Amino acid sequence: MTGLNQTVLTTGILAGIAAALLVLGANAQPSFASVLYASSALPVLVAGLGWGNRTAIIAILTAALIGALLISPLFALAMAIFTLIPAGWLSHLANLARPASELGGPDDLVAWYPISDILLHLCGLVTVAVIILGAVIGYGPELTNRMVDAMVENFNQQNADLVPDAAALAQTKSMIVLMLPLIQGGIWVLMLFAAFYFAVRIVSRSGRALRPREDMPSALRMNRNAIFVFLAGIVLTFVGGVPAMIGATICGTFGAGFLMAGFAGLHFRLKGKDWRVPGLILVYLSTMLLFPLLAILFVGLSDTRRTIALTPTRNPDKPLP
């Protein structure tokens, strides 16, 4: 037992150091800041998925402590809200299991927490994180208007013909204030789920996985209840003011979830097809345009379900997490 505790402590500390170094690297390399910042969730996810909740908690506390000592307590808090805590919570959810008999299944199988619900939690966590960030920095029309004015001034210095008229400029400002949280929230959901996906693969390859690796094309769908949240976000965008910005954030985060579910559904439908690879390449290239992207989003919206993974019951000497 002492050796196990030492392993948990050591692994958690090493994971926390790795997470902190990735965040510090993001500050030093602005070109790859988003990738490095999102990658800081990977060590915490690996620690939690492979060694359990205690290891993930130690990793979070270690990384936050390093961030507070080297940068500032506010920096550590931001790091915890955006990457560390979501990563720890996702690993906790992924390790949740219960006897399948409690759900009406066979007595000799174990049911794991559905991927669809894990994705739902991720969308909610990122939504809250983006809203908190917006409140802290004072995000709103005044901030985005200054950004647009600065860009227009820069364009004016380079080529006065590129400067839009007053009506177009006002329309651009009204769009930017909603587009930024929508895009930021959506990208962050995609990147954190990518970190979760790679963490699952790493831990599965190492043989440390508490949860069996699932086939993502068949398992990755959004929870049916997420549709109502997404629709509420769309409605809020028409209200105006702060509710509209919150609605845009919800549309971005939950829209990204449905978009991933749509891509997973296409991967699943094209399994076994001779033209699967060129077909998928064509689909991914076409989504650089708006209409094909909306079509993939509709595929995700039209296929909502909870797929529960079932595995044989563990040895009694090795209890469920």
Coordinates of all heavy atoms in Angstrom, one line a residue, residues 148-213:
V148 N -11.7 46.3 -33.5 CA -12.0 46.5 -34.9 C -11.5 47.9 -35.4 O -10.9 48.0 -36.5 CB -13.6 46.5 -35.1 CG1 -13.9 46.9 -36.5 CG2 -14.1 45.1 -34.8
D149 N -11.6 48.9 -34.6 CA -11.0 50.2 -34.9 C -9.5 50.1 -35.2 O -9.0 50.8 -36.1 CB -11.3 51.2 -33.8 CG -12.8 51.6 -33.8 OD1 -13.5 51.4 -34.8 OD2 -13.3 52.0 -32.7
A150 N -8.8 49.4 -34.3 CA -7.4 49.2 -34.5 C -7.1 48.5 -35.8 O -6.1 48.9 -36.5 CB -6.8 48.4 -33.3
M151 N -7.8 47.5 -36.2 CA -7.6 46.8 -37.5 C -7.9 47.7 -38.6 O -7.2 47.7 -39.6 CB -8.5 45.5 -37.5 CG -8.0 44.4 -36.6 SD -8.9 42.9 -36.9 CE -10.6 43.3 -36.4
V152 N -9.0 48.5 -38.5 CA -9.3 49.4 -39.6 C -8.2 50.5 -39.8 O -7.9 50.8 -40.9 CB -10.7 50.1 -39.3 CG1 -10.9 51.2 -40.3 CG2 -11.8 49.1 -39.4
E153 N -7.7 51.0 -38.7 CA -6.6 52.0 -38.8 C -5.4 51.4 -39.4 O -4.7 52.0 -40.2 CB -6.3 52.4 -37.4 CG -5.2 53.6 -37.4 CD -5.0 54.1 -36.0 OE1 -5.7 53.7 -35.0 OE2 -4.0 54.9 -35.8
N154 N -5.1 50.1 -39.1 CA -4.0 49.4 -39.7 C -4.2 49.3 -41.2 O -3.3 49.5 -42.0 CB -3.8 48.1 -39.1 CG -2.5 47.4 -39.6 OD1 -1.5 48.0 -39.8 ND2 -2.6 46.0 -39.7
F155 N -5.4 48.9 -41.6 CA -5.7 48.7 -43.1 C -5.6 50.1 -43.8 O -5.2 50.2 -44.9 CB -7.1 48.2 -43.3 CG -7.3 46.7 -42.9 CD1 -8.5 46.2 -42.4 CD2 -6.2 45.8 -43.1 CE1 -8.6 44.9 -42.1 CE2 -6.3 44.5 -42.7 CZ -7.5 44.0 -42.2
N156 N -6.1 51.1 -43.1 CA -6.1 52.5 -43.7 C -4.6 52.9 -44.0 O -4.4 53.6 -45.0 CB -6.8 53.4 -42.7 CG -7.0 54.8 -43.4 OD1 -7.1 54.9 -44.6 ND2 -7.1 55.8 -42.6
Q157 N -3.7 52.5 -43.1 CA -2.3 52.9 -43.3 C -1.7 52.2 -44.5 O -0.8 52.7 -45.2 CB -1.5 52.6 -42.0 CG -1.9 53.5 -40.9 CD -1.1 53.1 -39.6 OE1 -0.4 52.2 -39.6 NE2 -1.3 53.9 -38.5
Q158 N -2.2 50.9 -44.7 CA -1.7 50.1 -45.8 C -2.3 50.4 -47.1 O -1.7 50.6 -48.2 CB -1.8 48.6 -45.5 CG -1.0 48.2 -44.3 CD -1.2 46.7 -44.0 OE1 -1.9 46.0 -44.7 NE2 -0.7 46.3 -42.9
N159 N -3.7 50.5 -47.1 CA -4.4 50.8 -48.3 C -5.8 51.4 -47.9 O -6.6 50.7 -47.4 CB -4.6 49.5 -49.1 CG -5.2 49.8 -50.5 OD1 -5.7 50.9 -50.8 ND2 -5.1 48.8 -51.4
A160 N -6.0 52.6 -48.2 CA -7.2 53.3 -47.8 C -8.4 52.7 -48.6 O -9.6 52.9 -48.1 CB -7.1 54.8 -48.1
D161 N -8.2 52.1 -49.7 CA -9.4 51.5 -50.4 C -10.0 50.3 -49.7 O -11.1 49.9 -50.0 CB -8.9 51.1 -51.8 CG -8.5 52.3 -52.7 OD1 -9.0 53.4 -52.4 OD2 -7.6 52.1 -53.6
L162 N -9.2 49.7 -48.8 CA -9.7 48.5 -48.1 C -10.6 48.9 -46.9 O -11.3 48.0 -46.3 CB -8.5 47.7 -47.6 CG -7.6 47.0 -48.6 CD1 -6.5 46.3 -48.0 CD2 -8.5 46.1 -49.5
V163 N -10.7 50.1 -46.5 CA -11.5 50.5 -45.4 C -13.0 50.5 -45.7 O -13.4 51.1 -46.7 CB -11.1 51.9 -44.9 CG1 -11.9 52.3 -43.7 CG2 -9.6 52.0 -44.6
P164 N -13.8 49.8 -44.9 CA -15.2 49.7 -45.2 C -15.9 51.0 -44.9 O -15.4 51.8 -44.1 CB -15.7 48.5 -44.3 CG -14.7 48.5 -43.2 CD -13.4 48.9 -43.8
D165 N -17.2 51.1 -45.4 CA -17.9 52.3 -45.1 C -18.5 52.2 -43.7 O -18.4 51.2 -43.0 CB -19.0 52.6 -46.1 CG -20.0 51.4 -46.2 OD1 -20.1 50.6 -45.2 OD2 -20.5 51.1 -47.3
A166 N -19.2 53.2 -43.2 CA -19.7 53.3 -41.8 C -20.7 52.2 -41.5 O -20.6 51.5 -40.5 CB -20.3 54.7 -41.5
A167 N -21.6 51.9 -42.5 CA -22.6 50.9 -42.3 C -22.0 49.5 -42.2 O -22.3 48.7 -41.3 CB -23.6 50.9 -43.4
A168 N -21.0 49.2 -43.1 CA -20.4 47.9 -43.0 C -19.5 47.7 -41.8 O -19.4 46.7 -41.2 CB -19.5 47.7 -44.3
L169 N -18.9 48.8 -41.3 CA -18.1 48.8 -40.1 C -19.0 48.5 -38.9 O -18.6 47.7 -38.0 CB -17.4 50.1 -40.0 CG -16.3 50.2 -38.8 CD1 -15.3 49.2 -39.0 CD2 -15.7 51.6 -38.8
A170 N -20.1 49.1 -38.8 CA -21.0 48.9 -37.7 C -21.5 47.4 -37.7 O -21.6 46.8 -36.6 CB -22.2 49.9 -37.8
Q171 N -21.8 46.9 -38.9 CA -22.2 45.5 -39.0 C -21.1 44.6 -38.5 O -21.4 43.6 -37.9 CB -22.7 45.2 -40.4 CG -23.3 43.8 -40.6 CD -23.8 43.6 -42.0 OE1 -23.5 44.3 -42.9 NE2 -24.5 42.5 -42.1
T172 N -19.9 44.9 -38.9 CA -18.7 44.1 -38.6 C -18.6 44.1 -37.0 O -18.3 43.0 -36.4 CB -17.5 44.6 -39.2 OG1 -17.6 44.6 -40.6 CG2 -16.2 43.8 -38.8
K173 N -18.7 45.2 -36.4 CA -18.5 45.3 -35.0 C -19.6 44.5 -34.3 O -19.3 43.8 -33.2 CB -18.6 46.8 -34.5 CG -17.4 47.6 -34.9 CD -17.5 49.0 -34.5 CE -16.3 49.8 -34.8 NZ -16.4 51.3 -34.3
S174 N -20.9 44.5 -34.8 CA -21.9 43.7 -34.1 C -21.7 42.2 -34.3 O -22.1 41.5 -33.4 CB -23.3 44.2 -34.7 OG -23.4 43.9 -36.1
M175 N -21.1 41.8 -35.4 CA -20.8 40.4 -35.6 C -19.6 39.9 -34.8 O -19.7 38.8 -34.2 CB -20.5 40.2 -37.1 CG -21.7 40.3 -38.0 SD -21.3 40.0 -39.7 CE -20.5 38.4 -39.6
I176 N -18.6 40.7 -34.7 CA -17.4 40.3 -34.0 C -17.6 40.0 -32.5 O -17.1 39.1 -31.9 CB -16.3 41.4 -34.1 CG1 -15.7 41.5 -35.5 CG2 -15.1 41.2 -33.1 CD1 -14.9 40.2 -35.9
V177 N -18.5 40.8 -31.9 CA -18.7 40.7 -30.5 C -19.4 39.3 -30.2 O -19.2 38.8 -29.0 CB -19.6 41.8 -29.9 CG1 -21.1 41.7 -30.4 CG2 -19.6 41.9 -28.4
L178 N -20.1 38.7 -31.1 CA -20.7 37.4 -31.0 C -19.8 36.3 -31.5 O -19.8 35.2 -31.0 CB -22.0 37.3 -31.6 CG -23.1 38.3 -31.1 CD1 -24.4 38.1 -31.8 CD2 -23.3 38.0 -29.6
M179 N -19.0 36.6 -32.6 CA -18.2 35.6 -33.2 C -17.0 35.1 -32.4 O -16.7 34.0 -32.4 CB -17.7 36.1 -34.6 CG -18.8 36.2 -35.6 SD -19.7 34.7 -36.0 CE -18.3 33.7 -36.7
L180 N -16.4 36.1 -31.7 CA -15.2 35.7 -30.9 C -15.5 34.6 -29.8 O -14.8 33.6 -29.8 CB -14.6 37.0 -30.3 CG -13.8 37.8 -31.2 CD1 -13.2 39.0 -30.5 CD2 -12.7 37.1 -31.9
P181 N -16.5 34.8 -29.0 CA -16.8 33.8 -28.0 C -17.3 32.5 -28.6 O -17.0 31.4 -28.1 CB -17.9 34.4 -27.1 CG -18.5 35.5 -27.9 CD -17.4 36.0 -28.7
L182 N -18.0 32.6 -29.7 CA -18.5 31.4 -30.4 C -17.3 30.6 -30.9 O -17.2 29.4 -30.7 CB -19.4 31.8 -31.6 CG -20.1 30.7 -32.4 CD1 -21.4 31.2 -32.9 CD2 -19.3 30.2 -33.5
I183 N -16.4 31.2 -31.6 CA -15.2 30.5 -32.2 C -14.3 30.0 -31.1 O -13.8 28.9 -31.1 CB -14.5 31.5 -33.1 CG1 -15.3 31.8 -34.4 CG2 -13.1 30.8 -33.6 CD1 -14.8 32.8 -35.3
Q184 N -14.0 30.9 -30.1 CA -13.1 30.5 -29.0 C -13.7 29.3 -28.2 O -12.9 28.3 -27.9 CB -12.9 31.7 -28.0 CG -12.0 31.4 -26.8 CD -10.6 31.1 -27.2 OE1 -10.1 31.7 -28.1 NE2 -10.0 30.0 -26.6
G185 N -15.0 29.3 -27.9 CA -15.6 28.2 -27.2 C -15.5 26.9 -28.0 O -15.2 25.9 -27.5
G186 N -15.8 27.0 -29.3 CA -15.8 25.8 -30.1 C -14.5 25.2 -30.3 O -14.3 24.0 -30.2
I187 N -13.5 26.1 -30.6 CA -12.1 25.6 -30.7 C -11.6 24.9 -29.4 O -10.9 23.9 -29.5 CB -11.2 26.7 -31.2 CG1 -11.5 27.1 -32.6 CG2 -9.7 26.3 -31.0 CD1 -10.7 28.3 -33.1
W188 N -12.0 25.5 -28.3 CA -11.5 25.0 -27.0 C -12.1 23.6 -26.7 O -11.4 22.7 -26.2 CB -11.7 25.9 -25.9 CG -10.8 25.7 -24.7 CD1 -11.2 25.4 -23.5 CD2 -9.4 25.9 -24.7 NE1 -10.0 25.2 -22.7 CE2 -9.0 25.6 -23.4 CE3 -8.5 26.2 -25.7 CZ2 -7.6 25.6 -23.1 CZ3 -7.1 26.2 -25.4 CH2 -6.7 25.9 -24.1
V189 N -13.3 23.4 -27.1 CA -14.0 22.1 -26.9 C -13.3 21.1 -27.8 O -12.9 19.9 -27.4 CB -15.5 22.1 -27.3 CG1 -16.0 20.7 -27.4 CG2 -16.2 22.9 -26.2
L190 N -13.0 21.4 -29.1 CA -12.3 20.5 -30.0 C -10.9 20.1 -29.5 O -10.5 19.0 -29.5 CB -12.2 21.2 -31.4 CG -13.5 21.4 -32.1 CD1 -13.3 22.2 -33.4 CD2 -14.3 20.1 -32.4
M191 N -10.2 21.1 -29.0 CA -8.8 20.8 -28.6 C -8.8 20.0 -27.3 O -7.9 19.1 -27.1 CB -8.1 22.2 -28.4 CG -7.9 22.9 -29.7 SD -6.9 24.4 -29.6 CE -5.3 23.7 -29.6
L192 N -9.6 20.3 -26.3 CA -9.6 19.5 -25.1 C -10.1 18.1 -25.3 O -9.6 17.1 -24.7 CB -10.5 20.2 -24.0 CG -9.9 21.5 -23.4 CD1 -10.9 22.0 -22.3 CD2 -8.5 21.2 -22.8
F193 N -11.1 17.9 -26.2 CA -11.5 16.5 -26.5 C -10.4 15.8 -27.3 O -10.3 14.6 -27.1 CB -12.8 16.5 -27.3 CG -13.4 15.1 -27.4 CD1 -14.2 14.7 -26.4 CD2 -13.2 14.3 -28.5 CE1 -14.7 13.4 -26.4 CE2 -13.7 13.0 -28.5 CZ -14.5 12.6 -27.5
A194 N -9.7 16.5 -28.1 CA -8.5 15.9 -28.8 C -7.5 15.4 -27.8 O -6.9 14.3 -27.9 CB -7.9 16.8 -29.8
A195 N -7.3 16.2 -26.7 CA -6.3 15.8 -25.7 C -6.9 14.6 -25.0 O -6.1 13.7 -24.6 CB -6.1 17.0 -24.7
F196 N -8.2 14.6 -24.7 CA -8.8 13.4 -24.1 C -8.6 12.1 -24.9 O -8.3 11.1 -24.4 CB -10.3 13.7 -23.8 CG -11.0 12.5 -23.3 CD1 -10.9 12.1 -22.0 CD2 -11.9 11.8 -24.2 CE1 -11.7 11.0 -21.5 CE2 -12.6 10.7 -23.7 CZ -12.5 10.3 -22.4
Y197 N -8.8 12.3 -26.2 CA -8.7 11.2 -27.1 C -7.3 10.6 -27.2 O -7.1 9.4 -27.1 CB -9.1 11.6 -28.5 CG -9.0 10.6 -29.6 CD1 -9.8 9.5 -29.7 CD2 -7.9 10.7 -30.5 CE1 -9.7 8.5 -30.7 CE2 -7.7 9.7 -31.5 CZ -8.6 8.6 -31.6 OH -8.4 7.7 -32.5
F198 N -6.3 11.5 -27.3 CA -4.9 11.0 -27.3 C -4.5 10.4 -26.0 O -3.7 9.5 -25.9 CB -4.0 12.2 -27.7 CG -4.1 12.5 -29.1 CD1 -4.5 13.8 -29.6 CD2 -3.7 11.6 -30.1 CE1 -4.6 14.1 -30.9 CE2 -3.8 11.9 -31.5 CZ -4.2 13.2 -31.9
A199 N -5.0 11.0 -24.9 CA -4.7 10.4 -23.5 C -5.3 9.0 -23.4 O -4.6 8.1 -22.9 CB -5.3 11.3 -22.4
V200 N -6.5 8.8 -23.9 CA -7.1 7.4 -23.9 C -6.2 6.5 -24.7 O -5.9 5.3 -24.2 CB -8.5 7.5 -24.5 CG1 -9.0 6.0 -24.7 CG2 -9.4 8.2 -23.5
R201 N -5.7 6.9 -25.8 CA -4.9 6.0 -26.6 C -3.5 5.7 -26.0 O -3.0 4.6 -26.0 CB -4.6 6.7 -28.0 CG -5.8 6.8 -28.9 CD -5.5 7.4 -30.2 NE -4.6 6.5 -31.0 CZ -5.0 5.6 -31.9 NH1 -6.3 5.4 -32.1 NH2 -4.1 4.9 -32.6
I202 N -2.9 6.7 -25.3 CA -1.7 6.6 -24.7 C -1.8 5.6 -23.5 O -1.0 4.7 -23.3 CB -1.1 7.9 -24.2 CG1 -0.7 8.8 -25.4 CG2 0.1 7.7 -23.2 CD1 -0.4 10.2 -25.0
V203 N -2.8 5.8 -22.7 CA -3.0 5.0 -21.5 C -3.4 3.5 -21.9 O -2.9 2.6 -21.3 CB -4.1 5.6 -20.6 CG1 -4.3 4.7 -19.4 CG2 -3.6 6.9 -20.1
S204 N -4.2 3.4 -23.0 CA -4.5 2.1 -23.4 C -3.3 1.3 -23.9 O -3.1 0.1 -23.7 CB -5.6 2.1 -24.5 OG -6.8 2.7 -24.1
R205 N -2.4 2.0 -24.7 CA -1.2 1.3 -25.2 C -0.3 0.9 -24.0 O 0.4 -0.1 -24.1 CB -0.5 2.3 -26.1 CG -1.1 2.5 -27.4 CD -1.0 1.3 -28.3 NE -1.6 1.5 -29.6 CZ -0.9 2.0 -30.7 NH1 0.4 2.3 -30.5 NH2 -1.5 2.1 -31.8
S206 N -0.3 1.7 -22.9 CA 0.6 1.4 -21.8 C 0.1 0.3 -20.9 O 0.8 -0.3 -20.1 CB 0.8 2.7 -21.0 OG -0.4 3.0 -20.3
G207 N -1.2 -0.1 -21.1 CA -1.8 -1.2 -20.3 C -2.2 -0.7 -18.9 O -2.6 -1.5 -18.1
R208 N -2.2 0.6 -18.7 CA -2.6 1.2 -17.4 C -4.1 1.6 -17.4 O -4.6 2.1 -16.4 CB -1.8 2.4 -17.1 CG -0.3 2.1 -16.7 CD -0.2 1.5 -15.3 NE -1.1 2.1 -14.3 CZ -1.1 1.8 -13.1 NH1 -0.4 0.8 -12.7 NH2 -1.9 2.4 -12.2
A209 N -4.8 1.5 -18.5 CA -6.1 2.1 -18.6 C -7.1 1.4 -17.6 O -7.2 0.2 -17.6 CB -6.7 1.9 -20.0
L210 N -7.8 2.2 -16.9 CA -8.9 1.7 -16.0 C -10.1 1.4 -16.8 O -10.9 0.5 -16.5 CB -9.2 2.7 -14.9 CG -8.0 3.0 -13.9 CD1 -8.5 4.1 -13.0 CD2 -7.6 1.8 -13.2
R211 N -10.3 2.2 -17.9 CA -11.5 2.1 -18.8 C -11.0 1.5 -20.1 O -10.0 1.9 -20.7 CB -12.1 3.4 -19.0 CG -13.3 3.4 -19.9 CD -13.7 4.8 -20.4 NE -14.9 4.9 -21.2 CZ -16.0 5.3 -20.9 NH1 -16.2 5.9 -19.7 NH2 -17.1 5.3 -21.7
P212 N -11.7 0.5 -20.7 CA -11.4 0.0 -22.0 C -11.5 1.0 -23.1 O -12.4 1.9 -23.0 CB -12.3 -1.2 -22.2 CG -13.5 -0.8 -21.3 CD -13.0 -0.1 -20.1
R213 N -10.7 1.0 -24.0 CA -10.7 1.9 -25.1 C -11.9 1.6 -26.0 O -12.2 0.4 -26.4 CB -9.4 1.8 -26.0 CG -9.4 2.8 -27.1 CD -8.1 2.6 -27.9 NE -8.1 3.2 -29.2 CZ -7.2 3.1 -30.1 NH1 -6.1 2.4 -29.8 NH2 -7.3 3.7 -31.3

